[in-house]
Amino acid sequence: MSIKAMDFSLRINPSICFTQNPPKPSSKLRFLTVRCSLPLTSDDAATGLAERPWKVADARLVLEDGSIWKAKSFGASGTQVGEVVFNTSLTGYQEILTDPSYAGQFVLMTNPHIGNTGVNFDDEESRQCFLAGLVIRSLSITTSNWRCAETLGDYLAERNIMGIYDVDTRAITRRLRQDGSLIGVLSTEQSRSDEELLEMSRSWDIVGIDLISGVTCNASYEWVDKTKLDWDFNSNGRDQETYRVVAYDFGIKHNILRRLASYGCKITVVPSTWPAAETLKVKPDGVLFSNGPGDPSAVPYAVETVKEILGKVPVFGICMGHQLLGQALGGKTFKMKFGHHGGNHPVCNLRNGRVEISAQNHNYAVDPASLPEGVEVTHVNLNDGSCAGLAYPALNVMSLQYHPEASPGPHDSDCGKNFFPTSLDFCLFT
């Protein structure tokens, strides 16, 4: 082992350095020599050095517009492509991570501080994480919550989900608001060039892809998980299975099912391709078409199922279910500029003039001008005027574009009445 040494010499004039009004130059100088030595290996590499106490940038987010954002990684490693969207929720990052509607997307949180409450296993909204990755400004180095079971980084790593932090999320959000949602590639692989990642982002598209088939259940099942008393808003219908509901799983969230159960519903969850004839055979009191990811025009089989059920049983749609109902009724859907993602979207109920702060997560919307006569727009998003709710009394149809169960988010829309449009007292959401 060799020793490499460096000498530093410093010439100091004390009368000049340590007085407020330095005198004229003097020849009285002092010399200080510092010798630094470092043991080296045979290949001249330093030995015995501790790791840096800080993490350096080891990841890149490359957007299809050519911008490259260097960041630090946490969670899983590798390379992943997805659509970048921003979410304005202040809390509830675990529910967002497990919301199947985010399949194929990188979720950028505008709230800068993420991870401070860790992760628990009670707040999961599905059986796994379906999003492509998580983009945040600041990753909390500690957790503080009585329900915390593990850190956010460990949680993502175990589920093979990539995350990055120490990136300018405000600048990316402004870019998305100006240019619309962008396809991006997230990579920790230094062997891949920026040009290669840029080409990947420009050669992939989320439009027209059936994302529902990747998040739906494989077989039908009965929902048996009851809503815990601490989170239950209704005590009258609890444990009274009064109504039989068939819920189509296009990416359904657990709290939608919990809210139904708390109002006395016996729920059978079925896959997205479940035949309408099988649904009608059990003679349900109502059918729920759930939320889900992606483009409603990419799942024509689901639209046909909705058409076969309309008019035969009361139906209710949420998010993707709302869009599928709009198409089944003869309307059209379109891709929004950057969509609605967050727990602070104001919606006006046009029937009573009531304004609700809602939780939303969608990139597509129903075009109200394309709807046939008789279909009523019941709710409007006050940020951009887009359609947020439909009703067609002639066929006992009702739907909402947003998430009335609000997990996470405010519970303004969960008023315990007017869920399914029927003369029965079959109620859950406004």
Side-chain angles (χ1 to χ4, degrees), residues 267-334:
I267 312 160
T268 301
V269 183
V270 299
S272 60
T273 55
W274 193 257
E278 293 297 317
T279 297
L280 297 174
K281 188 183 298 184
V282 301
K283 297 181 180 180
D285 296 297
V287 173
L288 172 71
F289 299 112
S290 81
N291 62 291
D295 183 357
S297 299
V299 287
Y301 61 86
V303 178
E304 290 303 314
T305 299
V306 175
K307 287 181 178 179
E308 294 177 29
I309 293 177
L310 286 179
K312 299 181 177 66
V313 62
V315 299
F316 186 83
I318 295 175
C319 201
M320 171 61 76
H322 161 83
Q323 297 162 15
L324 295 175
L325 278 168
Q327 289 193 4
L329 290 170
K332 297 179 180 180
T333 57
F334 65 94

Side-chain angles (χ1 to χ4, degrees), residues 115-184:
N116 55 309
T117 58
V119 173
N120 67 81
F121 302 110
D122 292 329
D123 291 345
E124 294 185 327
E125 286 297 319
S126 65
R127 65 184 184 277
Q128 67 182 77
C129 297
F130 290 100
L131 79 171
L134 182 65
V135 181
I136 62 176
R137 176 66 184 92
S138 176
L139 177 65
S140 178
I141 60 175
T142 59
T143 59
S144 178
N145 186 274
W146 64 276
R147 295 193 301 155
C148 176
E150 62 180 334
T151 65
L152 176 59
D154 291 341
Y155 180 84
L156 293 183
E158 292 167 1
R159 288 153 181 79
N160 198 32
I161 301 297
M162 299 181 66
I164 59 171
Y165 68 102
D166 267 12
V167 64
D168 193 343
T169 52
R170 291 191 300 176
I172 298 177
T173 299
R174 288 194 297 268
R175 189 177 294 256
L176 297 176
R177 285 184 57 85
Q178 177 179 334
D179 301 333
S181 299
L182 296 170
I183 303 299

Side-chain angles (χ1 to χ4, degrees), residues 115-255:
N116 55 309
T117 58
V119 173
N120 67 81
F121 302 110
D122 292 329
D123 291 345
E124 294 185 327
E125 286 297 319
S126 65
R127 65 184 184 277
Q128 67 182 77
C129 297
F130 290 100
L131 79 171
L134 182 65
V135 181
I136 62 176
R137 176 66 184 92
S138 176
L139 177 65
S140 178
I141 60 175
T142 59
T143 59
S144 178
N145 186 274
W146 64 276
R147 295 193 301 155
C148 176
E150 62 180 334
T151 65
L152 176 59
D154 291 341
Y155 180 84
L156 293 183
E158 292 167 1
R159 288 153 181 79
N160 198 32
I161 301 297
M162 299 181 66
I164 59 171
Y165 68 102
D166 267 12
V167 64
D168 193 343
T169 52
R170 291 191 300 176
I172 298 177
T173 299
R174 288 194 297 268
R175 189 177 294 256
L176 297 176
R177 285 184 57 85
Q178 177 179 334
D179 301 333
S181 299
L182 296 170
I183 303 299
V185 176
L186 183 58
S187 180
T188 60
E189 298 176 324
Q190 301 305 314
S191 60
R192 293 180 180 269
S193 65
D194 293 342
E195 293 74 17
E196 180 183 359
L197 299 179
L198 179 59
E199 178 60 28
M200 289 178 61
S201 69
R202 291 177 174 174
S203 60
W204 188 82
D205 197 356
I206 198 171
V207 177
I209 298 178
D210 177 7
L211 296 174
I212 289 177
S213 60
V215 302
T216 188
C217 57
N218 296 322
S220 63
Y221 63 93
E222 301 294 322
W223 177 258
V224 295
D225 186 9
K226 301 295 183 180
T227 305
K228 294 183 178 180
L229 298 182
D230 293 342
W231 310 105
D232 198 349
F233 299 115
N234 174 61
S235 59
N236 297 325
R238 187 187 298 126
D239 298 327
Q240 299 176 13
E241 294 182 348
T242 308
Y243 305 108
R244 183 175 182 84
V245 177
V246 173
Y248 274 82
D249 179 10
F250 299 130
I252 199 165
K253 295 169 64 179
H254 287 171
N255 267 309

Side-chain angles (χ1 to χ4, degrees), residues 87 89 92 95-96 98-102 123-126 223 227 231-233 251-263 267 288-292 316-322 342-343 356-362 388 399-417 419 427-430:
N87 187 296
S89 295
E95 290 93 330
I96 292 168
T98 52
D99 183 348
S101 295
Y102 282 115
D123 291 345
E124 294 185 327
E125 286 297 319
S126 65
W223 177 258
T227 305
W231 310 105
D232 198 349
F233 299 115
I252 199 165
K253 295 169 64 179
H254 287 171
N255 267 309
I256 293 177
L257 299 172
R258 293 189 184 107
R259 301 302 294 127
L260 278 168
S262 71
Y263 279 90
I267 312 160
L288 172 71
F289 299 112
S290 81
N291 62 291
F316 186 83
I318 295 175
C319 201
M320 171 61 76
H322 161 83
E356 305 164 1
I357 304 302
S358 65
Q360 305 206 10
N361 175 20
H362 60 102
S399 66
L400 293 175
Q401 178 60 82
Y402 53 97
H403 285 257
E405 88 290 348
S407 298
H411 297 111
D412 294 21
S413 301
D414 197 339
C415 298
K417 57 182 178 179
F419 176 47
C427 54
L428 177 56
F429 302 124
T430 290

